[in-house]
Amino acid sequence: MLEYGKTKLLQGNEACVYGALYAGVQFFAGYPITPSTEIAEGMARILPHIGGKFIQMEDEIGSIAAIIGASNAGCKSMTATSGPGYSLMQENIGYAYMTETPCVIIDVQRGGPSTGLPTKIAQADMMQARWGTHGDYNAIALAPSSAKECFTETVRAFNLSERFRTPVTVLTDEVLGHMREIMTIPEEGELKVHKRQKPDVPPDWYRHFEITPSLVSPMAAFGEGYRYNISGLTHDPDGFPTAVPSEIKAKLEKLHHKIDNYLDEITSFRTEMMDDAHVAVFSYGTVARASYQAVKMAREKRIKVGAIQPFTIWPIDEARIKSMLDGVKKVIVAELNMGQLFYEIQRVAPKSTEVFHLGRYDGEVMTPLQILQKIREVL
Amino acid sequence: MTTRAASKSMGKKDGSEKPEDRYEIRLSGSGGQGLILAGVILAEALGIGDGKNVVQTQSYGPEARGGASRADLVVADGEIYYPKTMKLDLLLALTQEACDKYYPDLKEGGTLIVDSTMVTQVPTKNYYGLPFMQLAREEVGIVMVANVVSLGAISELTGIVTRDSIRNAVLARAPRGTEEKNKKALELGIEAAKKLLKEKR
């Protein structure tokens, strides 16, 4: 059960469960996979006692399909998986983007490709979280780095998902999922919990995909008396397939701009010691913690280095990253892969900032010493 | 963080790059000795009872079953950045294999506690040896509580955790019906460590 205000020792995976409960999750469908299984276990244990539903599906394709259905029936819905399952889900995740169905997917990253390294850490699904399914769309992905952040970012994932009617991915990793950390469950009302916007028009006027000034359409659930059609085919505001160029264009622009227009609401960063930094370490998830440690050690040696950690991996907030790197001569992008976030930072960094990559891809966590060594190398 | 062990340093300090504000612990032995549970109990005692920041990690996967098994803790008053251990301040080894494997990770002057009947070749003279398994088997009647006996000894030998906190944490995790046995195991560890400290003086 969720005990507000209580201090607990929680695994990252357990903290995701409690975060989801805090956000009001009502439906979980999943298929167990290491290193995410504790999320399904926690949901199976708790949801039935609070009037929610847990269902173990036949596979990950069924799991994502089930949560899309449940969300359209009005439930806050979630699944959790790791790389191989996330790959299987991609087709239906595209369906969720197209049908603008809120849902939360937690990907506890492990090494890949394919079944890869079930029990070892990687951060190689970052690009998949943006481009995993085919077609033109926009994506939101969040990345916590502690048990506490697993909690708060899962709450935020639900909020953003319901707010913008879109799937949201939370990218954690094997080490974060399994490590236990002390955290205090926030009090009820301490964190904002967003409720899906319902239509306030008579059923006859309701259009499920109406292009509103905000670009986010109010959403009626199945069975609430509003008639509508949903389809993976490109559709008009009523949800019926369209081949009209202006309607096609409007739909795709809606998918993009309903996110891009609200970067301030969506993106979130933490910075340490950046005020006078000549060198910055840019990293997320478990690696960000090694970066803070490395920065602290470097500062003791009077090296002017700072750290930037994005909690929002997607969308990339170009303007904000540019301004954070303004005056920084060198930035090291540290990640557990052979180069993903690196290319994004290279794309958006100011011309005067040199971008370096520090990758690790042997199933182990990046250490502070490794980062410290790289800092010395680029100085 | 200052602890009894750190302040009464058992040797000279090495020049490792480990930050001084972290206290790092590894509880090691073989799979099935309850070391992960011991790690969880100690983390709860430190974090919930004593209000410290704690991160507990473990090796995860097929290699963690049988063979050398371990639970790692990083303890600090402030925020813990890097969650894994860097150089251990305290190593508990319940088997020879674990002692051989993990002793190199202990910092110079760090505290080594071993099961004196299981670890016969100790790589240093500066260590504490107590027969945890034997005490559990002979005094409590179940060898399974050797992990709790060693927690009692750790609390007495290092002073890292307050007595009340470790007692509460053990009881909170003890399965119903085993509270008395676990309580006894903890006190047994404390008493054995007290005796050992007296002898060492």
Side-chain angles (χ1 to χ4, degrees):
Chain A
M1 293 302 128
L2 184 64
E3 294 159 285
Y4 295 109
K6 188 151 190 205
T7 300
K8 284 175 170 254
L9 182 74
L10 291 181
Q11 283 191 323
N13 283 341
E14 294 170 322
C16 286
V17 171
Y18 288 118
L21 292 168
Y22 190 96
V25 67
Q26 295 157 291
F27 185 89
F28 182 100
Y31 187 78
I33 180 172
T34 304
S36 78
T37 305
E38 292 81 5
I39 300 178
E41 285 172 349
M43 287 295 181
R45 199 167 51 238
I46 300 171
L47 271 181
H49 294 290
I50 58 165
K53 291 274 180 277
F54 169 90
I55 181 163
Q56 179 171 324
M57 296 298 289
E58 71 274 24
D59 60 23
E60 288 87 347
I61 303 172
S63 304
I64 181 83
I67 70 164
I68 291 170
S71 180
N72 277 290
C75 294
K76 286 193 175 180
S77 306
M78 178 175 121
T79 188
T81 188
S82 186
Y86 194 43
S87 291
L88 283 175
M89 289 179 185
Q90 290 301 332
E91 183 183 0
N92 274 337
I93 291 175
Y95 185 82
Y97 283 122
M98 188 56 124
T99 57
E100 303 187 53
T101 303
C103 56
V104 172
I105 303 132
I106 298 184
D107 173 12
V108 186
Q109 297 174 90
R110 67 191 219 186
S114 190
T115 32
L117 299 162
T119 60
K120 285 185 174 283
I121 188 173
Q123 291 181 317
D125 298 352
M126 182 205 162
M127 284 294 165
Q128 194 181 18
R130 174 65 186 86
W131 304 108
T133 197
H134 60 274
D136 225 347
Y137 56 97
N138 211 341
I140 300 176
L142 310 179
S145 68
S146 65
K148 189 176 166 217
E149 290 164 12
C150 281
F151 186 100
T152 53
E153 292 302 303
T154 302
V155 173
R156 209 159 72 86
F158 273 99
N159 287 346
L160 293 173
S161 170
E162 298 289 333
R163 163 85 176 83
F164 296 108
R165 271 189 66 176
T166 188
V168 173
T169 303
V170 181
L171 287 175
T172 74
D173 60 60
E174 185 277 321
V175 169
L176 183 52
H178 285 145
M179 75 186 185
R180 293 183 178 86
E181 207 161 2
I182 291 292
M183 71 160 289
T184 302
I185 309 280
E187 295 290 350
E188 197 170 3
E190 196 177 327
L191 302 182
K192 192 191 93 180
V193 171
H194 188 87
K195 260 194 166 155
R196 193 178 296 183
Q197 195 191 343
K198 296 272 182 184
D200 54 6
V201 294
D204 286 352
W205 299 6
Y206 179 67
R207 310 184 85 188
H208 195 59
F209 299 101
E210 185 176 355
I211 300 179
T212 60
S214 74
L215 293 177
V216 183
S217 321
M219 186 174 177
F222 287 151
E224 281 182 338
Y226 295 82
R227 275 161 56 101
Y228 58 91
N229 191 54
I230 69 168
S231 167
L233 289 167
T234 305
H235 42 255
D236 64 18
D238 288 314
F240 290 102
T242 181
V244 179
S246 62
E247 286 180 347
I248 296 169
K249 187 163 173 270
K251 173 74 195 189
L252 291 187
E253 284 173 356
K254 181 179 195 272
L255 293 186
H256 273 267
H257 299 325
K258 74 174 177 182
I259 290 170
D260 279 346
N261 289 356
Y262 299 95
L263 287 184
D264 287 350
E265 237 183 280
I266 300 168
T267 62
S268 153
F269 296 86
R270 173 179 174 182
T271 57
E272 287 292 331
M273 312 259 180
M274 282 300 294
D275 288 348
D276 61 344
H278 297 311
V279 178
V281 185
F282 203 112
S283 58
Y284 66 95
T286 300
V287 178
R289 300 180 65 153
S291 298
Y292 292 135
Q293 194 79 59
V295 164
K296 200 171 162 222
M297 289 154 81
R299 283 280 173 177
E300 278 158 19
K301 295 176 167 56
R302 294 173 197 280
I303 303 171
K304 287 191 172 169
V305 53
I308 304 172
Q309 176 190 9
F311 294 113
T312 308
I313 289 294
W314 299 108
I316 294 278
D317 193 338
E318 292 193 31
R320 212 156 146 205
I321 293 174
K322 251 192 192 80
S323 88
M324 280 192 287
L325 292 176
D326 187 40
V328 174
K329 291 182 188 119
K330 285 156 184 183
V331 57
I332 297 163
V333 181
E335 52 185 336
L336 299 174
N337 58 59
M338 297 182 79
Q340 294 194 12
L341 180 61
F342 168 66
Y343 293 108
E344 283 301 305
I345 302 307
Q346 208 174 37
R347 184 173 66 80
V348 305
K351 293 258 177 309
S352 52
T353 307
E354 212 181 335
V355 187
F356 298 86
H357 184 243
L358 176 62
R360 182 160 190 172
Y361 35 87
D362 60 355
E364 300 294 321
V365 182
M366 195 165 310
T367 65
L369 286 177
Q370 221 180 329
I371 298 169
L372 188 63
Q373 202 176 356
K374 187 76 180 177
I375 293 169
R376 284 188 175 128
E377 199 182 300
V378 305
L379 272 179
Chain B
M1 259 190 78
T2 50
T3 66
R4 210 178 296 167
S7 55
K8 135 183 151 270
S9 179
M10 296 169 75
K12 68 175 195 309
K13 280 174 56 135
D14 63 3
S16 79
E17 302 227 32
K18 198 196 76 145
E20 283 302 303
D21 52 359
R22 296 157 62 95
Y23 189 80
E24 302 186 350
I25 304 168
R26 176 166 299 161
L27 310 179
S28 68
S30 69
Q33 284 182 315
L35 291 154
I36 305 285
L37 178 61
V40 168
I41 292 171
L42 186 54
E44 286 180 338
L46 288 161
I48 299 169
D50 292 346
K52 307 258 189 224
N53 276 316
V54 191
V55 184
Q56 183 262 324
T57 55
Q58 63 209 50
S59 58
Y60 191 90
E63 73 281 1
R65 312 280 176 262
S69 156
R70 67 175 210 241
D72 288 355
L73 269 76
V74 179
V75 191
D77 289 322
E79 183 181 355
I80 295 168
Y81 292 139
Y82 188 56
K84 296 251 177 185
T85 54
M86 297 166 81
K87 205 78 184 156
L88 303 173
D89 293 276
L90 168 64
L91 172 64
L92 169 79
L94 295 190
T95 63
Q96 184 70 50
E97 188 191 352
C99 186
D100 294 347
K101 194 167 169 189
Y102 300 129
Y103 179 72
D105 298 338
L106 184 67
K107 76 171 188 190
E108 224 176 298
T111 309
L112 176 66
I113 303 174
V114 301
D115 185 304
S116 52
T117 53
M118 303 293 288
V119 183
T120 49
Q121 292 169 300
V122 189
T124 171
K125 281 180 186 162
N126 289 325
Y127 74 98
Y128 297 110
L130 285 168
F132 299 114
M133 309 273 284
Q134 197 184 328
L135 284 170
R137 192 167 41 235
E138 287 170 11
E139 306 281 327
V140 190
I142 34 173
V143 71
M144 262 161 66
V145 296
N147 57 352
V148 177
V149 180
S150 46
L151 285 179
I154 285 173
S155 78
E156 180 62 31
L157 295 173
T158 68
I160 170 100
V161 60
T162 61
R163 200 52 51 82
D164 276 352
S165 296
I166 194 72
R167 278 193 185 119
N168 293 339
V170 166
L171 285 182
R173 283 277 171 182
R176 197 166 300 163
T178 68
E179 292 90 345
E180 282 312 310
K181 283 197 182 335
N182 277 288
K183 232 174 170 169
K184 193 174 172 191
L186 187 73
E187 301 306 325
L188 201 62
I190 295 169
E191 290 312 314
K194 271 187 185 157
K195 235 170 91 188
L196 181 69
L197 283 174
K198 226 178 245 168
E199 283 165 18
K200 285 229 171 197
R201 250 179 246 142

